[in-house]
Every structure is written in structure tokens, then in C-alpha cells.
């Protein structure tokens, strides 16, 4: 089996930006310092030992800050759904919870919260005399009920989607739902 | 394969959600229609907005001062519709206007 290096390099993507870039710079600086400390160990053993301790501490601090720090908005995992070729493999990446699937359902349907209504119709919507004004509390209660129904519908839809995804799931990286679709048999293949 | 097609392939698992809203009056509010089926509702002086066209109006009253706002895919449909000769249009393509001045769009 031969490896086409040009194709391999085309598929390698290095993302060095934001926090990752900062951490990489920090580690590079520490590596240089560590090399200097080791190089002069014979001349200044005490200084080198102290330097090594400081460098190790800095290494651990940077590592902890990078892994435990809050995710900034620009670092959030991009959400995407992709379909790959005729084999029918596609995946939704970056979706790690039902909460995110619910967000997807909301966006797909264009659902936004309704404002509080001014009145209830007791008869025909075309007749103003049939409008029964709502108090602030009544309007809020009505909207709360509507929001609850919307949430229930969205949850139901997200669960349906999750079942579909899980029933066709392949081994995938964390944070990815990888799905295998049904591949259609080629029609013109001789039997 | 384009990402749009990829997305639509994934979205085949999703059906449209339309929550029914009945007998309410919105006055001077911004109402996003998408995701709801409005039945016997009234919109007076409202700003009605749609971006995906995922809504139904059944016997609703669109009162004076109401403004329609289209965005995203819905806007493209509206722009395309401006090419139509409305004098020769199939009535089924128009909003259904009832004798009591209410409107149905589905």
C-alpha cells in the first residue's frame, strides 16, 4: 500500500489561534528556558534546580489554565451537519447534548418567543367587540403556557432526532454524532 | 457536495414544528410567525416577521397598521414573487380572504 504524501498533507489542518496559540507560545518559551537551565547546570547547579522548579510550576499553571478555563464564545465548537459522498455517511458535529439539538430544532423551525397578547378573542377575531382585554398577569400566564407547549414540541422533535441519530450511530469522536445512512445499491450493476 | 445540500440531507430527520395558538389578540407587538399555527387570532398594528415561512394563519384578522417583514429564505420567495403578474395569478397562490375580512394562509 502506498501513501500519497501530497494528499495526506492536504488533509492536515493546523489551527493555531486564540488560546491554543497562547499556550503554544508559553510552552515554547518554557522549553527554551528549560534548555538554558540544563545547559548551565554545571556552572550554577542551585540556580538550575530553582529554575527547573519554576519552569515546571509554570508548565502546570498554563496547562491547568488552558484546560479548566471557561470557553470563550469564539472558541465554541462549531455546529455543523455534513453529508459525505454516495456511501450515505453523514454526521452532525459539535452537538454534544439534547440541549443543542433542541436549539437546532428551534433554529430549523425559526421559532422565537411570542410577545404577551393584549386580549383574548371570545367570538370572531374580526370583531373588536369580541376582544376581552387581558391583565398583565393573565397575558404572562398565557405566554408561559404557550412557551411550555413550544418547549414540549421542541423536546419531542429533538428526542425523535436523537433516536434517529443513535439508531444509526457509528463509532465517532467525542462531540460528534456520526451516522451511517442507507446506501442505495447501484442500479446499473449487472447481477 | 455543497454544504447546503449536506444540511438538507441531515434535516430530512426533522419535521416542521407548528404550535397552535388560538383566540388571542396581539397589539403593537413584533410577532415572529414561524413555528406557530394561529387560529382566529388578531394582529393590530403589529410587525409580523417570517424568515422560513413555517407558519399557518387560519381565519386571522390582520388589522390596520400591521407591517410585514421578511428575512432570510422568506425574503427570497417574496422577491421571486414580485416577478409574477398578479392579474393573471392562480387564486390558490393568494392568501384566502374570507367574507368577514379574516385571512387564511396555509
Amino acid at each position: 500500500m502506498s501513501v500519497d504524501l501530497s494528499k495526506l498533507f492536504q488533509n492536515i489542518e493546523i489551527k493555531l489561534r486564540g488560546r491554543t496559540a497562547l499556550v503554544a507560545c508559553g510552552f515554547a518559551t518554557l522549553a527554551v528556558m528549560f534548555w538554558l537551565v540544563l545547559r548551565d547546570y554545571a556552572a550554577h547547579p542551585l540556580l538550575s534546580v530553582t529554575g527547573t522548579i519554576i519552569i515546571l510550576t509554570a508548565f502546570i499553571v498554563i496547562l491547568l489554565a488552558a484546560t479548566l478555563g471557561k470557553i470563550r464564545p469564539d472558541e465554541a465548537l462549531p455546529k455543523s451537519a455534513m453529508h459525505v459522498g454516495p456511501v450515505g455517511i453523514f454526521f452532525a458535529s459539535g452537538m454534544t447534548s439534547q440541549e443543542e439539538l433542541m436549539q437546532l430544532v428551534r433554529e430549523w423551525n425559526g421559532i422565537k418567543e411570542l410577545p404577551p397578547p393584549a386580549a383574548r378573542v371570545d367570538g370572531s377575531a374580526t370583531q373588536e367587540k369580541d376582544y376581552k382585554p387581558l391583565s398583565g398577569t393573565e397575558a404572562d400566564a398565557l405566554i408561559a403556557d404557550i412557551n411550555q407547549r413550544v418547549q414540549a414540541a421542541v423536546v419531542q422533535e429533538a428526542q425523535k432526532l436523537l433516536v434517529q441519530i443513535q439508531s444509526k450511530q457509528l463509532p465517532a469522536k467525542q462531540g460528534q454524532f456520526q451516522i451511517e445512512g442507507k446506501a442505495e445499491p447501484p442500479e446499473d450493476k449487472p447481477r | 457536495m455543497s454544504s447546503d445540500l449536506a444540511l438538507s440531507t441531515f434535516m430530512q430527520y426533522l419535521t416542521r414544528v407548528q404550535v397552535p395558538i388560538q383566540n388571542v389578540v396581539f397589539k403593537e407587538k413584533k410577532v415572529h410567525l414561524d413555528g406557530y399555527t394561529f387560529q382566529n387570532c388578531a394582529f393590530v398594528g403589529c410587525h409580523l416577521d417570517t424568515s422560513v415561512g413555517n407558519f399557518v394563519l387560519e381565519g386571522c384578522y390582520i388589522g390596520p397598521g400591521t407591517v410585514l417583514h421578511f428575512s432570510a429564505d422568506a425574503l427570497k420567495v417574496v422577491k421571486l414573487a414580485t416577478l409574477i403578474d398578479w392579474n393573471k395569478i392562480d387564486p390558490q397562490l393568494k392568501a384566502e380572504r374570507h367574507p368577514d375580512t379574516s385571512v387564511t394562509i396555509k
Side-chain angles (χ1 to χ4, degrees):
Chain A
M1 198 178 95
S2 66
V3 178
D4 189 342
L5 283 177
S6 61
K7 279 188 181 171
L8 178 69
F9 288 128
Q10 272 175 9
N11 288 302
I12 292 176
E13 189 185 6
I14 299 171
K15 284 182 179 170
L16 204 61
R17 60 183 185 193
R19 191 192 313 223
T20 318
L22 213 61
V23 170
C25 284
F27 284 165
T29 310
L30 288 179
V32 171
M33 284 168 69
F34 191 56
W35 173 70
L36 289 172
V37 162
L38 283 184
R39 194 189 61 174
D40 296 336
Y41 179 76
H44 321 282
L46 189 63
L47 193 68
S48 292
V49 169
T50 314
T52 305
I53 291 168
I54 292 170
I55 288 166
L56 281 176
T57 310
F59 178 80
I60 292 166
V61 167
I62 291 175
L63 208 61
L64 286 176
T67 50
L68 302 178
K70 255 186 167 178
I71 295 174
R72 297 201 325 248
D74 60 322
E75 292 175 338
L77 206 54
K79 312 288 185 287
S80 62
M82 296 192 80
H83 177 262
V84 183
V87 291
I89 294 174
F90 52 100
F91 60 86
S93 71
M95 284 168 217
T96 53
S97 66
Q98 185 174 314
E99 198 66 34
E100 288 177 334
L101 278 175
M102 282 159 58
Q103 189 57 34
L104 175 75
V105 170
R106 277 184 182 272
E107 283 177 21
W108 168 246
N109 285 284
I111 300 173
K112 288 184 181 163
E113 214 170 282
L114 288 176
R120 186 184 284 281
V121 180
D122 188 11
S124 169
T126 57
Q127 302 297 318
E128 205 173 334
K129 64 175 174 55
D130 291 342
Y131 299 173
K132 309 292 175 207
L134 292 171
S135 68
T137 321
E138 287 172 324
D140 288 345
L142 195 58
I143 280 300
D145 174 57
I146 290 169
N147 289 340
Q148 212 171 355
R149 284 192 288 131
V150 168
Q151 183 70 0
V154 169
V155 167
Q156 195 182 8
E157 194 59 29
Q159 281 172 346
K160 260 169 55 188
L161 186 63
L162 203 58
V163 167
Q164 289 283 357
I165 287 169
Q166 284 170 346
S167 68
K168 295 176 180 177
Q169 197 162 0
L170 287 173
K173 287 184 205 167
Q174 195 181 7
Q176 278 190 354
F177 294 125
Q178 192 169 339
I179 312 155
E180 185 177 31
K182 215 173 185 179
E184 294 296 325
E187 284 171 10
D188 54 350
K189 200 174 176 180
R191 290 166 196 265
Chain B
M1 187 173 290
S2 75
S3 60
D4 281 353
L5 183 56
L7 195 64
S8 65
T9 309
F10 176 73
M11 294 303 181
Q12 71 184 334
Y13 288 118
L14 285 169
T15 50
R16 289 292 188 197
V17 170
Q18 283 180 353
V19 176
I21 308 292
Q22 290 151 331
N23 307 318
V24 288
V25 180
F26 294 99
K27 269 187 187 171
E28 294 163 7
K29 298 278 189 216
K30 184 170 185 175
V31 182
H32 293 276
L33 300 175
D34 293 322
Y36 300 99
T37 293
F38 296 93
Q39 293 161 324
N40 196 39
C41 292
F43 305 93
V44 182
C46 285
H47 186 116
L48 302 185
D49 179 80
T50 177
S51 58
V52 290
N54 174 33
F55 68 89
V56 168
L57 298 179
E58 280 181 13
C60 289
Y61 175 65
I62 312 288
T66 297
V67 177
L68 306 180
H69 182 255
F70 306 95
S71 56
D73 288 349
L75 178 60
K76 283 188 261 179
V77 176
V78 171
K79 285 181 177 177
L80 185 66
T82 61
L83 304 176
I84 294 172
D85 181 353
W86 288 98
N87 295 320
K88 297 176 185 171
I89 193 74
D90 182 339
Q92 285 191 336
L93 292 180
K94 290 184 179 178
E96 197 180 337
R97 289 179 184 277
H98 304 290
D100 66 352
T101 70
S102 67
V103 173
T104 292
I105 299 173
K106 53 181 169 182

